[in-house]
Amino acid sequence: MNPEQVGAVVIGGEHPGLGIARSLGRRGIPVCVIDDQYSVSQFSKYVTRVVRVRDLRDEQKTVENVIEVGQRYGLKGWVLFPTRDETVAAFSHHRDRLAECFRVTTARWETVRWAWDKKNTYDRAAELGIPVPQTYNPRTESDLAELYGRLPLALKPAVKENFFYATGAKAWRAETPLQLNDLFRRASLQIRPEEILIQEIIPGDGQRQYSYCAFFRDGKAQSTLVARRMRQHPREFGRAATYVETIEHPEVEELSERFLKAIDYYGLVEVEFKHDPRDGQFKLLDVNARTWGFHSIGGPAGVDFPYLLYADQVGTKVERYRARAGVGWLRMVTDLPTAALDLWDRELDLRSYWRSIRRTRAESVFCLRDPLPSVAEILMLPYLVAKKYHVRPEDKVGIQRTGGRGGEDLPANGVVK
């Protein structure tokens, strides 16, 4: 490795981080992965070094850990790639401090706050004339009575990280007044009442959900991709997509770019919409101010998102790209059970499933040129599932753990490099 070459520091080694490492590693760019758990990225031949720290959830400790690793291994000037929302918030709040050591790809808090908190997202979208689901923010249980006539409703957090880590759920569905009151009480044990949102449920599953993905800068999209979720798990409130496909959709593009321009966004971003069959509108659900789960679809579709951001940071001029339609991305370990359930429930037919397999050009982990991560994923599957969905006792009361400073150097692809 050339010690003078600018590399990348990827925070989080799950499949989104692996996608970043492969994008850059194929071009000979050194990659250091920092994580607070074991991950498939440490087995990739494109990862130069893996450093495990105790925890990446506490904001202050995250920043301290990343800076300490950068100083220890001489990573000054390397490009930072966060893969989790809590890391985005930490980097945004401490951007100036991090910039003394790294090239920071995360926008300032004045921008990120519009994506971090869904209340901010929906308020800003409404000001811009962008449709959003009808959303309520009751502060006490007594306020819920006004919503009984609107059931069924979804209960979801304004800031999803604390809620997800404590419950393992993205949202809860309430069918009756009793359920709504019970779920509100349960949510109040995990997050503050002002962070609890009650939202109308837009009919339909993930096939009505669309994602606008872009490298955005200077008030416009440098390169773009639009995708449709064909399968997700769970079916209604999907934690993540299991199969997506690129499409053309000018309306989703226009709505997304209107929002991103208004908040002066910079960097990689995914904007999620759901089509409401009741009024025909595309309603904004979420804005992910980072690489998203299926970003590796960009490579085979003609838009290599991690490299575009890296090139911009190091001053390399790149062309503008637009993804071609009809390219599929698959996460096999979650799509197999999802597709099986959809087939059983007759939400999917064999012809459509086979068509999606034929269109798949990127799998979240499997790659013939870099096979060890997929082998590791199978062997690590029980650990990964437990780590992702097991609710820890300390999280049940809404308390985030804090991590220690520094980290343990781990072998990348079996060898310390």
Side-chain angles (χ1 to χ4, degrees):
M1 182 181 74
N2 182 353
E4 297 182 358
Q5 185 176 13
V6 174
V9 181
V10 179
I11 315 301
E14 297 179 298
H15 68 272
L18 176 63
I20 298 171
R22 284 172 170 168
S23 164
L24 303 179
R26 290 181 183 122
R27 300 173 183 269
I29 299 167
V31 176
C32 173
V33 173
I34 300 176
D35 211 336
D36 57 356
Q37 61 185 16
Y38 296 103
S39 64
V40 294
S41 289
Q42 76 181 76
F43 300 96
S44 173
K45 70 178 185 180
Y46 297 111
V47 173
T48 310
R49 174 176 281 115
V50 179
V51 182
R52 195 172 77 246
V53 297
R54 291 186 180 179
D55 206 312
L56 289 172
R57 295 191 194 175
D58 178 83
E59 181 176 296
Q60 191 68 39
K61 293 299 182 182
T62 295
V63 173
E64 290 177 1
N65 286 338
V66 171
I67 291 176
E68 192 277 333
V69 171
Q71 293 173 341
R72 190 199 317 171
Y73 293 109
L75 310 182
K76 185 174 179 60
W78 283 34
V79 182
L80 284 182
F81 283 86
T83 63
R84 304 169 187 167
D85 287 327
E86 62 267 33
T87 314
V88 170
F91 286 4
S92 181
H93 281 133
H94 300 272
R95 196 176 190 281
D96 291 341
R97 183 181 172 194
L98 287 161
E100 295 176 2
C101 184
F102 303 101
R103 289 176 166 89
V104 184
T105 60
T106 303
R108 295 188 178 278
W109 182 248
E110 289 77 11
T111 292
V112 170
R113 71 188 185 94
W114 298 110
W116 171 251
D117 187 322
K118 287 187 177 64
K119 288 190 298 181
N120 291 339
T121 303
Y122 298 146
D123 289 345
R124 193 72 180 100
E127 293 173 0
L128 297 168
I130 299 171
V132 296
Q134 188 66 48
T135 305
Y136 312 93
N137 186 210
R139 300 304 176 91
T140 65
E141 193 173 338
S142 60
D143 295 334
L144 299 176
E146 300 178 5
L147 304 179
Y148 291 164
R150 302 179 183 273
L151 289 162
L153 292 165
L155 185 149
K156 62 195 299 185
V159 179
K160 63 186 178 184
E161 278 61 46
N162 293 347
F163 184 84
F164 179 79
Y165 285 130
T167 67
K170 188 174 181 179
W172 289 331
R173 180 186 179 102
E175 296 279 358
T176 67
L178 185 62
Q179 284 182 336
L180 185 62
N181 283 43
D182 179 60
L183 292 175
F184 185 86
R185 286 193 296 269
R186 289 171 57 190
S188 298
L189 296 175
Q190 312 299 339
I191 57 178
R192 297 175 300 165
E194 54 265 35
E195 291 184 20
I196 300 174
L197 303 182
I198 309 294
Q199 193 172 82
E200 69 169 334
I201 297 176
I202 299 175
D205 56 19
Q207 292 194 33
R208 292 191 176 274
Q209 197 159 322
Y210 298 79
S211 291
Y212 169 88
C213 310
F215 170 39
F216 205 87
R217 57 163 298 170
D218 300 329
K220 58 186 177 183
Q222 196 276 348
S223 293
T224 60
L225 177 153
V226 179
R228 182 182 178 188
R229 283 194 182 197
M230 306 302 290
R231 293 189 291 276
Q232 66 178 11
H233 75 99
R235 186 181 298 155
E236 185 172 47
F237 302 133
R239 292 191 187 101
T242 67
Y243 175 76
V244 303
E245 196 170 293
T246 58
I247 61 170
E248 294 283 349
H249 208 295
E251 183 176 356
V252 169
E253 290 186 51
E254 191 279 325
L255 293 171
S256 301
E257 291 171 11
R258 190 192 312 174
F259 184 88
L260 296 172
K261 182 177 180 179
I263 66 172
D264 191 26
Y265 191 81
Y266 171 82
L268 302 183
V269 65
E270 179 202 20
V271 187
E272 298 180 11
F273 290 85
K274 190 168 185 179
H275 179 251
D276 192 334
R278 300 169 298 183
D279 56 19
Q281 293 184 323
F282 288 86
K283 296 182 178 179
L284 178 62
L285 296 181
D286 205 358
V287 180
N288 293 312
R290 50 169 172 76
T291 50
W292 50 100
F294 61 89
H295 74 85
S296 57
I297 196 176
V303 190
D304 190 349
F305 286 109
Y307 179 70
L308 291 175
L309 183 58
Y310 172 89
D312 186 68
Q313 287 289 314
V314 300
T316 301
K317 185 177 180 180
V318 292
E319 300 295 326
R320 298 181 65 179
Y321 299 98
R322 184 182 183 86
R324 61 180 178 274
V327 177
W329 173 95
L330 185 70
R331 177 134 175 78
M332 184 64 73
V333 294
T334 52
D335 190 62
L336 280 176
T338 298
L341 183 60
D342 286 353
L343 287 167
W344 178 263
D345 292 337
R346 297 184 179 180
E347 298 288 338
L348 177 67
D349 60 77
L350 284 172
R351 181 177 296 180
S352 297
Y353 177 70
W354 178 243
R355 187 183 303 120
S356 69
I357 297 299
R358 292 183 63 184
R359 290 181 176 176
T360 298
R361 295 293 178 271
E363 206 280 333
S364 61
V365 175
F366 177 74
C367 175
L368 284 174
R369 295 182 179 180
D370 187 29
L372 285 183
S374 58
V375 176
E377 182 179 48
I378 295 172
L379 297 176
M380 295 171 63
L381 196 57
Y383 166 81
L384 296 173
V385 171
K387 191 74 175 179
K388 192 172 185 68
Y389 298 115
H390 175 65
V391 181
R392 301 179 308 187
E394 60 267 37
D395 287 332
K396 290 183 179 180
V397 293
I399 300 175
Q400 294 182 329
R401 293 194 329 180
T402 58
R405 186 169 181 173
E408 173 187 352
D409 195 18
L410 301 177
N413 194 23
V415 180
V416 177
K417 298 182 181 180

